[in-house]
Amino acid sequence: MALSKKIRKILVIGFWLIISAGVIVLLVAAVKGKQQKTCSGFEIQINGDDQQLFVDKAMISKVVLSNGTVTGKPLDQFDLKAIEELFKKNVWIAKADLFFDNSQKLQVRIVERQPIARVFTGLGNSFFIDSSLTKLPIGEKFPVKLPVFTGFPGEKNKWTASDSLILNGMKQITGYLEKHPFWAAQVAQIDINSAHEFELIPTLGNHVIELGDGFDVDSKFNRLWQFYTQVLTRTGLNYYEKVKVQFAGQVVGVKTASAASKADSIQAIRNVEQLIRDVQLEHERMISADSTQAVPVQQN
């Protein structure tokens, strides 16, 4: 009886050893077969803003072909990691993935950095930043309309703790402006003062909006909107020299030193009212567009 169990055990072990050996042989054959295959070409895909690419397919092709033609080259002669590292040297490329598809075509997938703001330092130097707060060079070939920040204190490539705090504030502000077209149009630029706080320069009106730091921006802009709709519609855009929204739960208006003429005040009020009407019309247009795109539900 014991001998029978030992025989069955040996047979089972032998069976699995044979299966394992077969799998290994198949895997080795598959790998060897793949290595013997050649590249059928390459295809580039850039994941970025189609209207404003800071890297193009010609630039990517040049890197891919830097060691000669790829079509007809054996797959085992490609060092894809090394090519990916070459792409990472380009500051505009956030990520690069290379792989061969089932038809042995080299797929080159590039993720491009997208700038969110243009920054001017106190010395007049300029650069872009993206959402990861990476410093990006200005390219004359690709003009970009972005929120503009002036007076940034950092001049070196490596950010200090204070610089990083300001940059994170920029990210919060630009994120809000991107979602609110009215404020994106009304804010002409954002200055960074000596206290490292943000001051908004409006497109219409002579007042300066003191935002404070770049955090809790939703609440600050909500209070600012209330001030525009409830106060400036009665006084005009030039009645206040400064509008302070950095204080929690309140808005402080500082009047201008010299009063505007009655005609100027009336025109200023009309300007504010027109701004409000434009926002309301844009809001209604967006709601109408959403409703027309909605899929009707059939009721039985």
Side-chain angles (χ1 to χ4, degrees):
M1 190 73 177
L3 182 60
S4 178
K5 287 183 178 180
K6 287 182 178 180
I7 292 173
R8 284 200 299 269
K9 186 175 181 181
I10 292 171
L11 290 174
V12 170
I13 294 173
F15 172 79
W16 284 113
L17 286 174
I18 293 171
I19 294 296
S20 300
V23 171
I24 292 172
V25 169
L26 290 174
L27 288 174
V28 170
V31 171
K32 187 175 181 181
K34 186 175 181 180
Q35 288 176 340
Q36 291 174 346
K37 292 180 180 179
T38 59
C39 178
S40 61
F42 65 95
E43 186 174 82
I44 298 170
Q45 180 179 323
I46 302 175
N47 181 19
D49 188 341
D50 293 337
Q51 301 302 317
Q52 295 173 348
L53 291 175
F54 289 82
V55 295
D56 55 32
K57 290 187 176 181
M59 182 190 305
I60 303 303
S61 296
K62 186 176 181 180
V63 175
V64 174
L65 299 172
S66 58
N67 291 323
T69 183
V70 299
T71 303
K73 184 177 180 179
L75 300 190
D76 61 347
Q77 293 185 18
F78 283 87
D79 187 346
L80 300 185
K81 290 294 181 183
I83 301 175
E84 289 175 359
E85 290 300 319
L86 288 177
F87 282 122
K88 290 179 182 179
K89 293 180 180 180
N90 187 325
V91 69
W92 282 103
I93 296 177
K95 186 178 180 182
D97 288 322
L98 282 76
F99 61 91
F100 290 103
D101 62 18
N102 293 332
S103 61
Q104 289 75 57
K105 180 175 286 187
L106 177 60
Q107 296 292 332
V108 184
R109 305 290 171 84
I110 301 296
V111 177
E112 180 189 48
R113 295 189 186 278
Q114 295 297 313
I116 61 172
R118 182 168 184 176
V119 183
F120 288 87
T121 69
L123 297 180
N125 297 315
S126 181
F127 55 88
F128 293 131
I129 58 168
D130 71 349
S131 58
S132 69
L133 306 182
T134 298
K135 184 177 181 181
L136 304 169
I138 301 296
E140 295 180 358
K141 184 179 178 181
F142 305 104
V144 178
K145 186 177 180 181
L146 295 169
V148 175
F149 292 82
T150 61
F152 182 69
E155 294 289 347
K156 298 181 179 179
N157 289 329
K158 188 175 181 180
W159 309 128
T160 65
S162 178
D163 294 338
S164 296
L165 190 64
I166 297 172
L167 289 164
N168 275 288
M170 291 182 185
K171 182 177 178 179
Q172 299 299 317
I173 295 171
T174 55
Y176 187 90
L177 296 180
E178 184 180 5
K179 293 183 293 185
H180 296 81
F182 170 77
W183 290 116
Q186 173 62 352
V187 176
Q189 72 179 55
I190 304 103
D191 292 337
I192 303 168
N193 62 26
S194 58
H196 295 174
E197 295 182 335
F198 298 99
E199 297 181 350
L200 312 183
I201 310 301
T203 303
L204 295 178
N206 295 327
H207 55 284
V208 174
I209 302 164
E210 295 186 1
L211 196 69
D213 61 31
F215 300 94
D216 195 26
V217 293
D218 287 56
S219 177
K220 293 175 181 179
F221 274 103
N222 285 339
R223 294 199 301 274
L224 183 60
W225 174 251
Q226 295 297 322
F227 189 79
Y228 264 59
T229 56
Q230 297 178 15
V231 178
L232 295 187
T233 50
R234 293 186 287 105
T235 64
L237 286 165
N238 300 325
Y239 187 78
Y240 291 95
E241 179 181 355
K242 292 183 179 180
V243 179
K244 302 173 180 283
V245 295
Q246 66 266 53
F247 308 112
Q250 60 180 309
V251 180
V252 177
V254 179
K255 296 180 181 179
T256 57
S258 58
S261 68
K262 184 176 181 180
D264 289 341
S265 297
I266 293 173
Q267 184 58 49
I269 292 171
R270 288 174 178 171
N271 289 340
V272 180
E273 291 173 343
Q274 184 60 49
L275 278 175
I276 305 303
R277 284 195 295 270
D278 290 344
V279 173
Q280 291 172 338
L281 288 173
E282 176 64 16
H283 181 64
E284 291 172 359
R285 185 193 66 78
M286 293 176 65
I287 293 176
S288 176
D290 290 340
S291 63
T292 56
Q293 293 174 2
V295 177
V297 178
Q298 183 177 357
Q299 296 181 351
N300 295 326

